[in-house]
Every structure is written in structure tokens, then in C-alpha cells.
Amino acid sequence: MCSETEGDFMEYMTNVVTNGLTTVAISLGSQLGLFDIMATMDKPMTSQEIADAAGLKERYVREWLGAMVTGTIVNTDPNSEKFMIPKHRQRELVSTRKNQAGLARGLTSLYRLQDDVMDCFRKEGPSGIPHSKYEYHYRWLASFKKNDYDDTKMRALIGQVSGLEKVLGAGIHVCDVGCNTGYHVGMLAKLFPSSQFVGVDISESAIAEAQKNNQSVNTTFETQDAYNLPSDWSDKFFYVYVSKVIHDLAYSEKALVEIYRILKPGGFLSLVEVNAHSKPSDNLSIPNAQGIYVFSLCHCVPSALNYPGGTALGSCWGREAAMSMLKDIGFDCVQVFEIPNQPEEIHISAQKPQGI
């Protein structure tokens, strides 16, 4: 029997909506560089001083500060009317780290598409939303993903696959499918200079950015379709890395079949996916699960359903469905690992059987 009262739920909803409004202001502060400016201040500053340092209009900065003070993000001295961000809060606000302020920017990038998403709900509406409408969201995603990992986290992930670090050190061929702007594959290339790395993505602009940002002699980038990788790549790669891509694809299983084909027998696949289960009821204990579903509702599902017969797995397709699909394709040794200091993600490792 539920003990929740109408008043309890009203209070809960008030907090939800108020926090949503605060998210808009956090996103603005992040995009305008206000948090970065305030994090460099060694003493409290007035709204005018903050505006001058950021090159912004004081009246708008003052109103933003009001939202941040009442939202308990920024502190103020009521006597001097000066503002500051305590040191212990800065990590979650500055743009140089993957943090909640960066996530707020992603959420507000989806607000631009609310009308399009509503149209998709309607029976007479479109099946999905074309990728071209997500350009702003993809720019955010590239910047947010850049702060996903450092060398320590990447080595920890590699170390979860028995023997992989050793062969990477000796020299193997590696492919990053859906590499975006190449940050992860570039990191791997620097960690393991004896191996050869190829990053592929369907986006020509992402590949151009990857080529500009990564000059390692052991790394190349190509515009490729994950559903139709080059025919001469069969059995070429000992390791394939895929970070939060499969659930976004219209034809996820088809892409995994291609990945299976390009792997050498005995080679390994690493899927970095959202830490979720396949049933919503099993995700009640997953941190920020509701936010993951919202991202999926506004991006993953409609972008996949824009293609005829798109399967639209969604962000929360879950470890159970992922493991089942990999086994059905023919992968062995399918395992799920928690990623250190990345509670919102899991690492699904699988191996192509020897002698295939």
C-alpha cells in the first residue's frame, strides 16, 4: 500500500520542475564561461566585475547570479553583494571536466527538438528525426565525450580484458567504430605506440576534426559506414573498441555482425555502454536512470526510427539484451565489467572464437 499523499507528490513535483529550471541557468553559465571565470577568482566579486571579466552585460549576469544563489550553486555575501563559488563545488561546474554542468548543456541542447519529438509521438507524425537536426547536440556530445576518460581510466578498461594490454604493447591492429572526433582512439594510440589504430565514423565533419586533432603516426581516420565496412577488412583487427554507439544505430545487430567479421579469430570487442538493465523496473536503483531515458527519448530512439525498419534499441537497451545479442551473433566470453570512477557506464567485453 502506497503511503504517499497528494501533498507529498506535489512537493516532489515542485522540486523536479524547479531543478529543471535551474538546469537551464546552469547550462547558460557553462556555455558563457561564467563558471570558469568565477573558478579563477581568489576573492568574492561583484556582478559587474564578473560581467567585465567574462565580457558580458552586467544586468544579465546579475539575474543569472540570482538564479545561482537561490539554487545553492553560487554563494553570496548579503552585506557586500559579492559572489563566489566554493572550491568544493568547482569540479562539477568548470568546462574542463566531465561533470554535471556539462551534462546540463546536453539536456538543454535537446530542448530545441521538443516540437519535433512531440510530432513523432503522433500517429500521423514522422517516424523519427534526421541526424541533420542534431548538429548542435552532436557538437555538445563531442566536447562532453572528450572529458570522458584519462590515461588511468583507459588503462583500467583495457586491463579488464585478459592479455589485451600485453598484445597492445607488442603491436596489433585496432579499430574504433563510431570514433566521433577521435579522442578515445587518439588516447589509445599514445598509450600503445607499437599498435596501429583506425578510427571510423559516418560523419565526414567528425573525421575531419579527428584528423586535425590527432597527428600520431600510428593513427588513421576514415569515413566509413558501420553497416558496410571495407570487404578487405575481414579478420583484420585483433581489437575493436566501440563507445556508446551501438544503442544509437538504426540497425544495431547489422553493425555488430560487421564488427564480428572484421575481428581476427581470438580477437576482442569492447563495448562501452550505458549502465542500465533491459527492464525499467530494474533501473530504479541506477543513478540518473530517468535522465538516461530522457536523452534516449529525444535522441537515440527518434534518430534510429528515422530509418525504415530501425530497431531503436535506446540508451537503456541494457546489459541483458546486449549480452544476448552478442552471443546470438557468435561471440564468446561475453562479460560485463563496472568501469572505475564511471558509474554511469559499463564495459561489455566479448571475444571472437578461435578457428572461425
Side-chain angles (χ1 to χ4, degrees):
M1 188 74 176
C2 180
S3 60
E4 180 185 66
T5 67
E6 183 177 315
D8 291 336
F9 187 67
M10 182 182 72
E11 182 180 355
Y12 170 78
M13 285 298 296
T14 299
N15 290 333
V16 168
V17 174
T18 300
N19 288 336
L21 292 169
T22 305
T23 298
V24 175
I26 291 171
S27 176
L28 286 170
S30 179
Q31 293 181 76
L32 291 168
L34 284 162
F35 291 128
D36 292 340
I37 291 292
M38 295 186 71
T40 65
M41 301 181 335
D42 57 3
K43 60 181 180 180
M45 308 283 275
T46 66
S47 59
Q48 186 66 62
E49 290 170 327
I50 295 167
D52 289 345
L56 301 171
K57 297 172 184 172
E58 186 275 338
R59 184 64 188 90
Y60 284 93
V61 171
R62 192 189 340 149
E63 202 73 4
W64 175 81
L65 284 166
M68 292 295 90
V69 168
T70 55
T72 325
I73 307 296
V74 170
N75 284 1
T76 185
D77 179 348
N79 296 317
S80 66
E81 293 191 24
K82 293 184 178 182
F83 304 88
M84 68 174 297
I85 302 174
K87 289 286 185 185
H88 69 277
R89 296 180 189 167
Q90 292 176 9
R91 186 184 186 282
E92 288 301 321
L93 297 170
V94 295
S95 63
T96 54
R97 306 187 67 95
K98 180 183 177 183
N99 55 28
Q100 295 305 306
L103 186 60
R105 295 173 66 169
L107 289 170
T108 55
S109 77
L110 296 177
Y111 293 167
R112 298 164 179 244
L113 294 160
Q114 187 170 359
D115 289 344
D116 297 282
V117 175
M118 285 194 295
D119 286 343
C120 291
F121 268 81
R122 298 185 173 97
K123 289 187 176 181
E124 70 279 8
S127 298
I129 300 173
H131 285 288
S132 59
K133 289 201 171 185
Y134 288 100
E135 287 185 8
Y136 181 86
H137 180 69
Y138 292 148
R139 286 198 299 273
W140 164 78
L141 189 61
S143 65
F144 191 63
K145 196 172 183 179
K146 184 176 180 180
N147 295 320
D148 261 356
Y149 286 84
D150 55 22
D151 291 357
T152 301
K153 290 179 183 178
M154 187 61 78
R155 281 194 180 276
L157 185 147
I158 294 296
Q160 291 174 334
V161 182
S162 179
L164 181 57
E165 186 166 5
K166 181 178 180 180
V167 295
L168 278 166
I172 57 174
H173 284 90
V174 179
C175 185
D176 181 349
V177 177
C179 69
N180 201 285
T181 55
Y183 182 72
H184 285 187
V185 68
M187 186 185 304
L188 283 167
K190 291 177 182 177
L191 289 173
F192 303 103
S194 296
S195 288
Q196 297 297 313
F197 296 84
V198 179
V200 302
D201 202 284
I202 193 66
S203 169
E204 292 182 2
S205 61
I207 290 299
E209 186 72 15
Q211 291 169 334
K212 183 176 73 174
N213 294 338
N214 296 275
Q215 304 297 324
S216 301
V217 295
N218 62 333
T219 309
T220 59
F221 295 93
E222 299 184 19
T223 303
Q224 295 286 355
D225 184 344
Y227 309 129
N228 189 27
L229 296 169
S231 59
D232 60 352
W233 282 11
S234 295
D235 300 338
K236 179 176 181 177
F237 298 97
F238 191 82
Y239 182 52
V240 174
Y241 175 87
V242 190
S243 179
K244 289 182 285 190
V245 169
I246 297 300
H247 68 256
D248 278 335
L249 298 178
Y251 314 111
S252 304
E253 187 170 2
K254 185 176 181 180
L256 286 171
V257 168
E258 274 293 270
I259 289 169
Y260 186 89
R261 177 179 68 82
I262 69 173
L263 269 173
K264 284 180 175 291
F268 291 97
L269 165 66
S270 283
L271 293 183
V272 176
E273 275 293 341
V274 173
N275 181 11
H277 297 279
S278 300
K279 294 180 180 180
S281 57
D282 292 333
N283 289 325
L284 289 169
S285 62
I286 298 293
N288 195 33
Q290 67 270 43
I292 297 168
Y293 277 110
V294 171
F295 267 104
S296 188
L297 172 64
C298 295
H299 169 249
C300 308
V301 169
S303 64
L305 288 178
N306 192 55
Y307 295 88
T311 51
L313 295 176
S315 294
C316 291
W317 66 313
R319 62 184 70 195
E320 297 86 0
M323 294 176 71
S324 177
M325 185 179 292
L326 290 168
K327 291 174 182 177
D328 288 345
I329 289 168
F331 283 98
D332 276 348
C333 305
V334 181
Q335 301 178 78
V336 176
F337 301 97
E338 305 296 327
I339 301 176
N341 301 313
Q342 293 286 116
E344 72 277 13
E345 296 175 351
I346 52 173
H347 172 204
I348 305 173
S349 172
Q351 185 177 26
K352 183 174 179 177
Q354 294 277 4
I356 297 297

